[in-house]
Amino acid sequence: MPQPILQLERVARDFFDGKTQRRVLYETDLALYPGELTILAGPSGSGKTTLLTIMGLVLKPSAGDVVVAGERVTHLPEHKLASVRRMRYGFVFQLAELLPALSVVENVIVAAGIQGGQVSADVRARALALLESFGLSDCLGLKPLQLSGGQKQRVAIARALINDPSILLCDEPTSALDAESSTIVLDTLKQLSRDTHRALLLVTHDPRVFPYADRLLKIDNGRIIFDSRHPLPEENL
Protein backbone atom coordinates (compact mmCIF):
# COMPACT_ATOMS: atom_id res chain seq x y z
CA MET A 1 0.00 0.00 0.00
CA PRO A 2 1.46 3.41 -0.97
CA GLN A 3 1.68 6.29 1.47
CA PRO A 4 -1.62 8.18 1.91
CA ILE A 5 -1.95 11.61 0.32
CA LEU A 6 -4.55 12.79 2.85
CA GLN A 7 -5.10 11.59 6.41
CA LEU A 8 -7.58 12.42 9.15
CA GLU A 9 -6.43 11.55 12.66
CA ARG A 10 -9.19 11.47 15.30
CA VAL A 11 -10.92 14.38 13.59
CA ALA A 12 -14.15 15.65 15.16
CA ARG A 13 -16.32 18.71 14.68
CA ASP A 14 -18.72 20.55 16.99
CA PHE A 15 -21.19 23.30 16.12
CA PHE A 16 -22.59 25.87 18.54
CA ASP A 17 -26.07 27.18 17.79
CA GLY A 18 -25.95 29.99 20.34
CA LYS A 19 -27.35 27.89 23.17
CA THR A 20 -25.91 24.40 22.99
CA GLN A 21 -22.86 22.73 21.50
CA ARG A 22 -23.60 19.77 19.26
CA ARG A 23 -21.15 17.20 17.86
CA VAL A 24 -21.86 16.57 14.18
CA LEU A 25 -18.74 14.56 13.39
CA TYR A 26 -17.28 12.10 15.88
CA GLU A 27 -13.62 11.07 16.09
CA THR A 28 -12.72 9.86 12.61
CA ASP A 29 -9.57 8.21 11.26
CA LEU A 30 -9.38 8.09 7.48
CA ALA A 31 -6.72 7.96 4.76
CA LEU A 32 -6.97 8.58 1.01
CA TYR A 33 -4.49 6.80 -1.25
CA PRO A 34 -3.24 7.56 -4.76
CA GLY A 35 -4.74 5.54 -7.57
CA GLU A 36 -7.96 4.97 -5.64
CA LEU A 37 -11.54 6.22 -6.02
CA THR A 38 -13.16 6.43 -2.58
CA ILE A 39 -16.91 6.98 -2.42
CA LEU A 40 -18.43 8.48 0.72
CA ALA A 41 -22.17 7.89 0.98
CA GLY A 42 -24.78 8.93 3.49
CA PRO A 43 -28.21 10.54 3.85
CA SER A 44 -28.77 14.26 4.24
CA GLY A 45 -27.55 15.42 7.64
CA SER A 46 -25.28 12.40 8.13
CA GLY A 47 -22.07 14.44 8.39
CA LYS A 48 -20.66 13.80 4.92
CA THR A 49 -20.56 17.49 3.96
CA THR A 50 -18.83 18.38 7.24
CA LEU A 51 -16.28 15.63 6.62
CA LEU A 52 -15.75 16.78 3.03
CA THR A 53 -15.19 20.42 3.98
CA ILE A 54 -12.69 19.44 6.67
CA MET A 55 -10.83 17.25 4.18
CA GLY A 56 -10.83 20.17 1.75
CA LEU A 57 -9.29 22.48 4.40
CA VAL A 58 -12.32 24.76 4.22
CA LEU A 59 -13.55 23.96 7.74
CA LYS A 60 -11.23 23.39 10.68
CA PRO A 61 -11.91 20.42 12.97
CA SER A 62 -12.74 20.95 16.63
CA ALA A 63 -10.32 18.14 17.47
CA GLY A 64 -7.79 15.98 15.69
CA ASP A 65 -5.36 16.55 12.85
CA VAL A 66 -5.46 16.76 9.06
CA VAL A 67 -2.28 15.60 7.32
CA VAL A 68 -1.64 16.42 3.65
CA ALA A 69 1.31 14.76 1.91
CA GLY A 70 2.92 14.11 5.30
CA GLU A 71 2.45 17.69 6.58
CA ARG A 72 0.18 18.47 9.52
CA VAL A 73 -1.88 21.40 8.31
CA THR A 74 -4.65 21.70 10.90
CA HIS A 75 -3.28 24.76 12.64
CA LEU A 76 -1.79 26.57 9.66
CA PRO A 77 -3.00 30.16 9.10
CA GLU A 78 -5.57 30.68 6.37
CA HIS A 79 -3.15 32.06 3.76
CA LYS A 80 -1.00 28.92 4.09
CA LEU A 81 -4.07 26.66 3.92
CA ALA A 82 -5.06 28.48 0.73
CA SER A 83 -1.61 27.72 -0.69
CA VAL A 84 -1.98 24.01 0.16
CA ARG A 85 -5.41 23.94 -1.49
CA ARG A 86 -4.05 25.63 -4.60
CA MET A 87 -1.10 23.28 -4.94
CA ARG A 88 -2.67 20.00 -3.83
CA TYR A 89 -6.44 20.12 -4.40
CA GLY A 90 -9.03 20.12 -7.15
CA PHE A 91 -12.75 20.49 -6.45
CA VAL A 92 -15.79 19.38 -8.46
CA PHE A 93 -19.19 20.52 -7.19
CA GLN A 94 -22.79 19.42 -7.61
CA LEU A 95 -23.33 22.15 -10.19
CA ALA A 96 -20.56 22.96 -12.65
CA GLU A 97 -20.53 26.66 -11.65
CA LEU A 98 -18.95 27.72 -14.94
CA LEU A 99 -18.58 31.42 -15.71
CA PRO A 100 -21.25 32.16 -18.34
CA ALA A 101 -19.32 34.95 -20.10
CA LEU A 102 -16.27 32.74 -20.72
CA SER A 103 -15.76 30.05 -23.33
CA VAL A 104 -15.13 26.42 -22.42
CA VAL A 105 -11.36 26.72 -22.69
CA GLU A 106 -11.37 30.04 -20.81
CA ASN A 107 -13.35 28.43 -17.98
CA VAL A 108 -10.65 25.80 -17.62
CA ILE A 109 -7.61 28.07 -17.71
CA VAL A 110 -9.15 30.61 -15.33
CA ALA A 111 -8.37 28.24 -12.45
CA ALA A 112 -4.68 28.67 -13.25
CA GLY A 113 -4.82 32.31 -14.31
CA ILE A 114 -6.61 33.42 -11.16
CA GLN A 115 -3.37 32.85 -9.26
CA GLY A 116 -2.00 36.00 -10.89
CA GLY A 117 0.11 36.79 -13.91
CA GLN A 118 -0.24 35.86 -17.56
CA VAL A 119 -1.59 32.45 -18.47
CA SER A 120 1.31 30.59 -20.04
CA ALA A 121 1.30 28.70 -23.31
CA ASP A 122 1.93 25.51 -21.30
CA VAL A 123 -1.22 26.07 -19.23
CA ARG A 124 -3.29 26.68 -22.35
CA ALA A 125 -1.85 23.56 -23.95
CA ARG A 126 -2.69 21.55 -20.85
CA ALA A 127 -6.27 22.89 -20.89
CA LEU A 128 -6.67 21.89 -24.53
CA ALA A 129 -5.25 18.44 -23.84
CA LEU A 130 -7.60 17.90 -20.89
CA LEU A 131 -10.65 18.96 -22.89
CA GLU A 132 -9.63 16.72 -25.78
CA SER A 133 -9.21 13.76 -23.41
CA PHE A 134 -12.77 14.35 -22.17
CA GLY A 135 -14.20 14.44 -25.70
CA LEU A 136 -14.78 18.20 -25.72
CA SER A 137 -12.52 19.32 -28.58
CA ASP A 138 -15.54 20.51 -30.58
CA CYS A 139 -16.74 22.71 -27.70
CA LEU A 140 -13.70 24.89 -27.01
CA GLY A 141 -15.24 28.16 -28.14
CA LEU A 142 -18.75 27.50 -26.84
CA LYS A 143 -20.26 29.23 -23.83
CA PRO A 144 -21.70 27.22 -20.91
CA LEU A 145 -25.30 27.88 -21.97
CA GLN A 146 -24.57 26.00 -25.20
CA LEU A 147 -23.51 22.83 -23.36
CA SER A 148 -25.42 19.87 -21.98
CA GLY A 149 -25.30 19.11 -18.27
CA GLY A 150 -22.80 16.31 -18.77
CA GLN A 151 -20.57 18.50 -20.94
CA LYS A 152 -20.60 21.24 -18.29
CA GLN A 153 -19.56 18.80 -15.60
CA ARG A 154 -16.71 17.46 -17.73
CA VAL A 155 -15.51 21.04 -18.25
CA ALA A 156 -15.65 21.48 -14.47
CA ILE A 157 -13.52 18.35 -14.01
CA ALA A 158 -10.97 19.67 -16.52
CA ARG A 159 -10.91 22.97 -14.61
CA ALA A 160 -10.28 21.08 -11.36
CA LEU A 161 -7.34 19.28 -12.96
CA ILE A 162 -5.60 22.25 -14.59
CA ASN A 163 -3.11 22.61 -11.70
CA ASP A 164 -2.49 18.83 -11.61
CA PRO A 165 -3.76 18.28 -8.05
CA SER A 166 -2.92 15.19 -6.07
CA ILE A 167 -6.32 15.26 -4.31
CA LEU A 168 -9.63 15.58 -6.17
CA LEU A 169 -12.76 16.09 -4.06
CA CYS A 170 -16.12 15.71 -5.80
CA ASP A 171 -19.35 16.77 -4.09
CA GLU A 172 -22.42 15.07 -5.62
CA PRO A 173 -21.06 15.59 -9.17
CA THR A 174 -23.80 13.54 -10.86
CA SER A 175 -26.88 14.42 -8.81
CA ALA A 176 -28.11 17.03 -11.32
CA LEU A 177 -27.46 14.86 -14.39
CA ASP A 178 -29.52 12.37 -16.36
CA ALA A 179 -28.50 8.71 -16.38
CA GLU A 180 -26.49 8.88 -19.63
CA SER A 181 -24.57 12.00 -18.59
CA SER A 182 -23.95 10.53 -15.14
CA THR A 183 -22.38 7.44 -16.68
CA ILE A 184 -20.06 9.55 -18.84
CA VAL A 185 -18.96 11.68 -15.87
CA LEU A 186 -18.45 8.65 -13.62
CA ASP A 187 -16.46 6.84 -16.31
CA THR A 188 -14.29 9.96 -16.58
CA LEU A 189 -13.69 10.07 -12.83
CA LYS A 190 -13.01 6.34 -12.68
CA GLN A 191 -10.37 6.67 -15.38
CA LEU A 192 -8.80 9.61 -13.51
CA SER A 193 -8.60 7.51 -10.36
CA ARG A 194 -6.17 5.19 -12.11
CA ASP A 195 -3.56 7.96 -12.01
CA THR A 196 -0.95 6.73 -9.56
CA HIS A 197 -0.28 10.15 -8.02
CA ARG A 198 -3.87 11.24 -7.44
CA ALA A 199 -6.54 10.29 -4.88
CA LEU A 200 -10.24 10.87 -5.57
CA LEU A 201 -13.07 11.21 -3.08
CA LEU A 202 -16.64 11.34 -4.35
CA VAL A 203 -19.47 12.24 -1.98
CA THR A 204 -22.93 10.98 -2.91
CA HIS A 205 -26.27 9.76 -1.62
CA ASP A 206 -26.98 7.78 -4.81
CA PRO A 207 -26.39 3.99 -4.56
CA ARG A 208 -26.10 3.77 -8.36
CA VAL A 209 -22.65 5.33 -7.98
CA PHE A 210 -21.37 2.62 -5.61
CA PRO A 211 -20.14 0.13 -8.27
CA TYR A 212 -17.52 2.68 -9.37
CA ALA A 213 -15.84 2.65 -5.94
CA ASP A 214 -12.48 1.12 -5.21
CA ARG A 215 -13.39 1.80 -1.60
CA LEU A 216 -16.86 2.53 -0.25
CA LEU A 217 -17.53 4.40 3.00
CA LYS A 218 -20.92 4.99 4.59
CA ILE A 219 -21.51 7.68 7.18
CA ASP A 220 -24.50 8.27 9.44
CA ASN A 221 -25.04 10.43 12.52
CA GLY A 222 -21.49 11.73 12.30
CA ARG A 223 -19.80 8.32 12.31
CA ILE A 224 -18.41 6.12 9.55
CA ILE A 225 -20.49 2.97 9.93
CA PHE A 226 -19.12 1.00 6.97
CA ASP A 227 -15.75 0.76 5.25
CA SER A 228 -15.45 -1.80 2.46
CA ARG A 229 -11.77 -2.16 3.29
CA HIS A 230 -12.60 -3.11 6.89
CA PRO A 231 -16.19 -4.42 6.90
CA LEU A 232 -18.11 -4.15 10.13
CA PRO A 233 -20.56 -6.80 11.39
CA GLU A 234 -23.66 -6.97 9.22
CA GLU A 235 -25.92 -5.55 11.91
CA ASN A 236 -23.98 -2.27 11.83
CA LEU A 237 -24.51 -1.62 8.11
Side-chain angles (χ1 to χ4, degrees):
M1 180 68 70
Q3 291 297 309
I5 295 177
L6 176 63
Q7 292 174 273
L8 303 184
E9 298 178 350
R10 305 298 291 167
V11 162
R13 176 67 192 190
D14 300 324
F15 282 113
F16 185 67
D17 63 8
K19 295 182 180 180
T20 59
Q21 183 168 290
R22 183 169 61 94
R23 177 144 292 190
V24 296
L25 181 68
Y26 291 87
E27 289 81 0
T28 299
D29 293 305
L30 181 61
L32 297 186
Y33 293 90
E36 185 172 74
L37 174 55
T38 300
I39 290 179
L40 174 66
S44 177
S46 62
K48 62 183 187 294
T49 299
T50 299
L51 185 58
L52 179 68
T53 51
I54 289 174
M55 296 175 82
L57 310 183
V58 176
L59 183 69
K60 288 200 172 188
S62 303
D65 275 321
V66 181
V67 183
V68 179
E71 179 186 6
R72 295 185 182 277
V73 301
T74 314
H75 302 295
L76 291 180
E78 179 52 42
H79 72 280
K80 290 191 175 181
L81 288 175
S83 179
V84 175
R85 284 194 298 268
R86 185 170 62 247
M87 292 188 301
R88 298 283 186 182
Y89 283 81
F91 297 90
V92 181
F93 303 102
Q94 181 175 356
L95 300 177
E97 304 291 355
L98 302 179
L99 298 174
L102 300 184
S103 69
V104 163
V105 69
E106 289 168 341
N107 264 284
V108 174
I109 64 176
V110 73
I114 205 168
Q115 296 177 33
Q118 191 75 18
V119 175
S120 70
D122 287 345
V123 169
R124 185 173 181 85
R126 177 168 172 76
L128 294 174
L130 283 167
L131 291 166
E132 180 180 3
S133 71
F134 295 158
L136 295 168
S137 294
D138 294 336
C139 304
L140 302 180
L142 300 182
K143 300 294 177 64
L145 287 177
Q146 298 173 283
L147 303 178
S148 69
Q151 288 172 324
K152 289 178 184 177
Q153 201 62 294
R154 279 181 282 159
V155 174
I157 295 169
R159 180 182 60 191
L161 294 172
I162 192 63
N163 293 319
D164 197 24
S166 54
I167 302 165
L168 186 63
L169 302 182
C170 307
D171 186 11
E172 301 274 7
T174 62
S175 63
L177 303 180
D178 58 46
E180 182 179 359
S181 296
S182 294
T183 298
I184 293 171
V185 168
L186 288 168
D187 286 343
T188 300
L189 291 172
K190 185 67 174 178
Q191 184 61 38
L192 286 171
S193 73
R194 296 295 178 242
D195 191 318
T196 56
H197 85 282
R198 184 176 292 122
L200 273 73
L201 176 75
L202 190 157
V203 171
T204 188
H205 66 276
D206 185 354
R208 293 174 298 178
V209 177
F210 296 175
Y212 288 85
D214 296 310
R215 181 185 186 186
L216 176 62
L217 306 170
K218 295 182 182 180
I219 187 171
D220 199 14
N221 293 319
R223 302 180 190 272
I224 292 179
I225 59 169
F226 175 77
D227 182 346
S228 62
R229 182 171 290 149
H230 308 290
L232 298 174
E234 185 175 349
E235 63 268 18
N236 291 331
L237 301 184

